[in-house]
Amino acid sequence: MAGKIPRDFIDDLLSRTDVVDIVDSRVKLKKAGKNYQACCPFHNEKSPSFTVSQEKQFYHCFGCGAHGNAISFMMEFDRLEFVEAIEELARFHGLEVPREKGSRPAMSEEKKQQQLDDYSLMDQVARFFQQQLRQNSNSEKAINYLKQRGLSGDIVKQWEIGYAPDSWDALLNTFGKSPDKVKQLIDLKLVNQNDQGRRYDFFRDRIMFPIRDKRGRVVGFGGRVLDDGGPKYLNSPETRIFHKGSELFGFYHARQQNRQLDTVVIVEGYMDVVALSQFDINIATAALGTATTPEHIQMLVRATSHIVCCYDGDRAGREAAWRALENALPALKDGVRLSFLFLPDGEDPDTMVRQVGKEAFMTKLDSAMPLSRFFFENLLKTHNVGTPEGKRALKNAALPLIEGVLGDDQKQMLLEELAKHTGEYDRFKLQQDISKANNAGRKPGYSPNLNQVGKTRLSPLRMLIRLLLDMPSLATRCQEVQPGVFAGSQAAGMDLLLAVHQYCTQHPHATTAQLVENFRDHPHSPTIAKLLLQEHLVKDEDAERVYTDSFARLLDWHFDSRIETLISRSRVQPLSKAEKEELNLLMKERQKS
């Protein structure tokens, strides 16, 4: 693994990049005043609501809320991970991506070349299997099998399905022209070598499915038998470029076919994925001979808002679903649904979609069992809540799983359901009501709570942050605004103001794109995203005045809040000498302002 990419390099990369060029090369933009517009590439719309600001180096869709800088756009539009987007952008500018020195050294040039050679060979092997499906002496048998499974020629071609010859060394003889190539074939587990040194093809007499990673590179293969001999499916073993727990068959295809991947369905086999796509259901993916792993779930929650696990309704299918649920809970963020669809005995997605058709199958997916129902149905099979002991056992089994849930809303929903099953619902609701009351704060309009970003008027605190996001130079242009005086304040959002102001002070020439990039993986990132969706309606020429006025209003609120606290405390017990001095000083400052 490579070391971390330096922050300075990312900032420099953004400063060299014009987001308009990046977007316009993929989505045709039209000039609209000082900005550019287009129909949003991330959701269907007839009227343009997608705006790109050359000044701020930022894009924003008023329809679906998509927003970000050039890096974000490449990640979303080109389906890239963060590091991949950085590397792609660096190539665009003819730059080499540097890496910070640390415990994980950067990949050597030799290793990079080896990786490129590996991907190239895997791609050649995939084409070899496709060619064998057309030209091998056994091709008629393989083609008839695919026809019997109901696959059309177009679908076979689209999925690059091939055939591994019924020969010990067809692939070895084709690609093993040198000792180095033979070693590479063995390393990539395309060829086996036994203890006696004999070499032979790993896949023989099987229908071959190339497995592509999320960047579309062939990293492995899945082979299915044509008859009852041997294991039904045989997958490539782990190699230096293939890790089963991190890849999903069909995921690359699904992302290519759907600009907005609203739902992804996890099925059990390659043939299920391919069969569904023949019915124009291009949202299916399958694990590669393993259970659905946490890495799989992480990959999916970044790509979709609804994951449906579609398994057989038998015991094995339900056990697989439970393992998927356990792995999903720690990655399940708010806004992502996890559902479960259990098919009747003897049915799989392949046979089911052929029986009922696309519309009926999609309806089944839409009405799949919610996570909460499957979660408690499964636990209630082994815990009798008709007794106090059973309720306690259910609570002990459920709580560790629920506490691991990433999303706060998801967690609260499961806790509420647990309270219903254990007879503690009334107490749970009372605790919730008390918590809400404690978090309500002071009078409406006074509390600068950033969790209530909406269409209401921006509070002084929100306005300060919002203006800094648009114009980082305000931090140095308006010297009288010194948020450091609020250090130690417990007001919601104050820590974000201090963090943003500090960055802007240190980087007075930063763009909005660079500022947002600095907070990409920061805990404040979701709040910044919400604030960027909030229109402040402040003209550029009025920005400094509104910025200083907002600080003055926030300062008044801060003084009033602290004065109120000290006066309230003095009614209960005498103030200390330091507190009296602070109160006098605050009163004087308040009078000045």
Side-chain angles (χ1 to χ4, degrees):
M1 292 292 291
K4 187 178 179 182
I5 300 173
R7 171 59 58 188
D8 288 347
F9 176 78
I10 297 173
D11 286 342
D12 179 57
L13 198 59
L14 285 171
S15 70
R16 292 169 182 259
T17 304
D18 188 343
V19 69
V20 172
D21 291 340
I22 298 298
V23 176
D24 191 51
S25 65
R26 295 158 173 82
V27 180
K28 208 61 191 169
L29 295 173
K30 289 185 178 180
K31 198 80 164 72
K34 64 178 182 179
N35 296 326
Y36 293 81
Q37 278 188 339
C39 284
C40 181
F42 305 119
H43 81 288
N44 295 322
E45 62 177 9
K46 295 180 180 179
S47 300
S49 60
F50 182 83
T51 300
V52 182
S53 169
Q54 198 161 37
E55 179 188 2
K56 299 182 177 70
Q57 288 297 304
F58 199 75
Y59 68 87
H60 171 62
C61 176
F62 293 95
C64 69
H67 63 274
N69 55 24
I71 297 171
S72 305
F73 186 84
M74 293 180 70
M75 290 173 67
E76 290 298 318
F77 192 90
D78 296 344
R79 312 285 202 258
L80 301 176
E81 295 295 324
F82 175 73
V83 173
E84 295 166 348
I86 294 291
E87 291 172 343
E88 192 68 28
L89 205 51
R91 276 194 292 272
F92 177 77
H93 292 291
L95 301 174
E96 186 73 25
V97 179
R99 302 284 180 164
E100 292 178 352
K101 293 182 179 179
S103 57
R104 298 183 301 174
M107 185 185 295
S108 67
E109 289 301 318
E110 183 181 355
K111 193 170 182 180
K112 282 183 185 178
Q113 189 57 52
Q114 177 67 73
Q115 198 176 72
L116 290 173
D117 290 345
D118 287 346
Y119 291 131
S120 175
L121 178 57
M122 294 297 280
D123 190 61
Q124 293 174 52
V125 171
R127 291 200 298 270
F128 168 77
F129 288 142
Q130 292 171 63
Q131 180 190 50
Q132 292 300 306
L133 181 62
R134 298 189 302 270
Q135 300 177 359
N136 189 269
S137 58
N138 263 357
S139 63
E140 185 176 353
K141 173 187 172 185
I143 291 171
N144 285 337
Y145 171 81
L146 294 171
K147 286 181 178 179
Q148 290 168 9
R149 293 301 302 262
L151 299 185
S152 68
D154 287 341
I155 283 295
V156 170
K157 185 176 180 181
Q158 182 180 337
W159 284 91
E160 304 168 299
I161 296 172
Y163 172 68
D166 188 10
S167 166
W168 284 99
D169 53 11
L171 188 142
L172 176 62
N173 289 336
T174 302
F175 295 99
K177 302 297 186 182
S178 69
D180 286 345
K181 280 298 178 184
V182 171
K183 183 179 184 306
Q184 188 180 11
L185 290 169
I186 294 172
D187 289 344
L188 295 178
K189 305 298 169 57
L190 294 167
V191 168
N192 273 356
Q193 179 171 292
N194 62 21
D195 294 339
Q196 289 73 45
R198 184 186 177 193
R199 296 161 183 160
Y200 53 92
D201 293 353
F202 183 80
F203 294 103
R204 301 184 304 279
D205 195 27
R206 287 178 179 267
I207 297 294
M208 299 301 295
F209 299 85
I211 299 165
R212 293 187 178 272
D213 66 8
K214 54 183 173 288
R215 294 179 68 176
R217 303 170 300 197
V218 179
V219 293
F221 293 93
R224 196 200 188 285
V225 292
L226 295 169
D227 46 42
D228 295 331
K232 185 176 178 181
Y233 279 103
L234 186 64
N235 296 302
S236 290
E238 297 272 316
T239 69
R240 58 192 173 221
I241 63 169
F242 179 52
H243 308 285
K244 294 179 186 178
S246 303
E247 305 295 346
L248 286 165
F249 177 75
F251 184 60
Y252 173 74
H253 176 87
R255 296 189 75 176
Q256 293 301 114
Q257 293 293 316
N258 299 275
R259 179 57 58 199
Q260 189 73 22
L261 197 54
D262 297 321
T263 300
V264 174
V265 55
I266 303 174
V267 295
E268 294 190 73
Y270 302 124
M271 200 63 77
D272 293 323
V273 176
V274 175
L276 288 174
S277 76
Q278 183 158 317
F279 283 79
D280 197 29
I281 301 175
N282 295 296
I283 57 172
T285 187
L288 308 172
T290 67
T292 304
T293 66
E295 289 80 9
H296 291 150
I297 298 297
Q298 287 279 3
M299 193 187 308
L300 293 175
V301 297
R302 288 197 296 264
T304 187
S305 58
H306 187 201
I307 303 168
V308 183
C309 295
C310 182
Y311 295 118
D312 294 343
D314 58 12
R315 180 178 176 181
R318 288 184 174 268
E319 287 177 352
W322 183 255
R323 288 196 299 273
L325 180 145
E326 288 181 309
N327 287 331
L329 291 179
L332 204 58
K333 61 184 180 181
D334 289 334
V336 177
R337 284 191 297 146
L338 180 65
S339 306
F340 297 86
L341 176 61
F342 296 104
L343 300 179
D345 287 346
E347 299 288 354
D348 55 34
D350 181 2
T351 59
M352 178 63 72
V353 74
R354 296 182 192 283
Q355 284 181 29
V356 303
K358 176 183 177 180
E359 286 190 20
F361 189 84
M362 293 300 292
T363 299
K364 288 180 178 293
L365 292 180
D366 292 338
S367 59
M369 183 185 298
L371 176 151
S372 57
R373 181 177 158 193
F374 176 58
F375 183 83
F376 285 106
E377 274 190 7
N378 198 69
L379 288 176
L380 288 170
K381 288 178 182 177
T382 53
H383 297 92
N384 178 16
V385 292
T387 66
E389 293 83 0
K391 290 178 181 178
R392 172 58 60 184
L394 172 65
K395 193 171 182 178
N396 289 340
L399 270 180
L401 294 171
I402 297 175
E403 289 300 328
V405 175
L406 178 63
D408 290 336
D409 292 342
Q410 301 261 15
K411 185 184 296 184
Q412 285 301 109
M413 178 267 295
L414 289 171
L415 287 172
E416 187 169 341
E417 287 296 310
L418 177 61
K420 291 177 183 177
H421 287 293
T422 57
E424 299 174 345
Y425 183 67
D426 289 341
R427 182 166 52 172
F428 174 83
K429 288 300 292 179
L430 178 60
Q431 290 173 340
Q432 291 295 102
D433 292 341
I434 292 172
S435 178
K436 286 180 181 178
N438 288 337
N439 291 332
R442 297 176 179 83
K443 299 175 184 177
Y446 247 137
S447 177
N449 193 334
L450 285 177
N451 295 323
Q452 299 173 356
V453 177
K455 294 184 178 180
T456 57
R457 183 180 177 184
L458 286 172
S459 70
L461 178 52
R462 292 182 200 155
M463 182 61 80
L464 284 166
I465 301 172
R466 187 65 182 84
L467 289 173
L468 283 172
L469 293 176
D470 273 357
M471 304 178 194
S473 62
L474 285 173
T476 50
R477 280 157 49 195
C478 303
Q479 294 289 335
E480 65 272 33
V481 177
Q482 295 294 330
V485 300
F486 304 127
S489 171
Q490 298 301 308
M494 195 65 81
D495 53 345
L496 175 55
L497 172 61
L498 294 173
V500 171
H501 185 268
Q502 181 182 24
Y503 175 85
C504 294
T505 302
Q506 295 171 349
H507 305 85
H509 302 297
T511 62
T512 298
Q514 290 168 327
L515 191 157
V516 173
E517 187 59 45
N518 183 75
F519 287 90
R520 177 180 290 275
D521 297 318
H522 196 280
H524 291 314
S525 181
T527 305
I528 289 175
K530 289 178 183 178
L531 277 171
L532 284 166
L533 298 180
Q534 179 83 56
E535 285 297 291
H536 56 63
L537 305 177
V538 176
K539 296 178 181 178
D540 289 353
E541 57 268 28
D542 295 330
E544 288 190 22
R545 178 183 56 78
V546 175
Y547 182 68
T548 54
D549 286 351
S550 296
F551 177 70
R553 290 171 58 206
L554 185 60
L555 203 57
D556 287 346
W557 172 84
H558 176 70
F559 286 152
D560 289 346
S561 175
R562 184 57 180 160
I563 289 170
E564 181 183 331
T565 299
L566 290 171
I567 291 176
S568 297
R569 187 178 300 170
S570 70
R571 293 175 183 144
V572 179
Q573 62 183 34
L575 297 178
S576 66
K577 182 179 179 181
E579 287 174 330
K580 288 179 181 178
E581 291 175 353
E582 181 188 1
L583 180 58
N584 290 331
L585 182 61
L586 287 170
M587 295 291 280
K588 290 177 182 177
E589 290 293 333
R590 187 66 182 91
Q591 288 170 0
K592 287 180 186 178
S593 62

